[in-house]
Amino acid sequence: MLARLVYVSKARGFRRAELNDILQVSRARNERVGITGALCVLDGVYMQYLEGQDAAVEALYKRIEVDPRHQDVTVLDRTFIAARVFSDWAMALLSSDERIKAAMERHGLAKGQSLHEIDPACAAALFRALAQTPNWLTL
């Protein structure tokens, strides 16, 4: 069964230079197990959208929960889906700019709020809106 999981976490020891490595490793690993998705990093907070077979998504999430790079891991949305949104992306990374911040505000995240504070009901819709912006790095 195809599943979607959106979570947020605070980056522990965040270094912008590591993002390229995270993206490359995630792409290779996720492609092997059929997971697609996207990762947004804003002010030291990760928000990730994962989709794939339920067992694969859950196994990946369990690894994320214990990954020392993450703290305060919180699931915002977990559901079964009919089709993928990010079918062409084994993993992509979004870099923030004013368009991204405006999209976040349109989906209920007020200026200055952390991604941890987004209404869970808006999380998947926000990611779909972000997918339409041009700042994605897919390597």
Side-chain angles (χ1 to χ4, degrees), residues 21-109:
D21 291 336
I22 290 170
L23 181 60
Q24 288 180 350
V25 170
S26 295
R27 275 195 72 142
R29 187 176 293 150
N30 292 349
E31 194 170 333
R32 281 194 304 272
V33 296
I35 291 177
T36 55
L39 172 66
C40 175
V41 182
L42 180 64
D43 299 327
V45 176
Y46 296 115
M47 183 176 183
Q48 190 166 25
Y49 185 114
L50 302 169
E51 56 192 9
Q53 292 302 311
D54 186 41
V57 170
E58 285 299 317
L60 175 55
Y61 181 70
K62 294 293 182 205
R63 285 195 308 274
I64 290 165
E65 283 185 306
V66 297
D67 186 320
R69 295 174 293 191
H70 298 270
Q71 61 186 14
D72 299 330
V73 182
T74 304
V75 172
L76 296 175
D77 181 53
R78 179 187 276 145
T79 192
F80 294 110
I81 55 175
R84 294 174 189 256
V85 173
F86 296 100
S87 60
D88 294 335
W89 297 354
M91 187 50 60
L93 175 67
L94 178 64
S95 61
S96 183
D97 69 7
E98 291 308 311
R99 291 171 294 196
I100 304 309
K101 291 176 184 174
M104 291 179 167
E105 287 178 24
R106 283 193 306 273
H107 285 83
L109 193 64

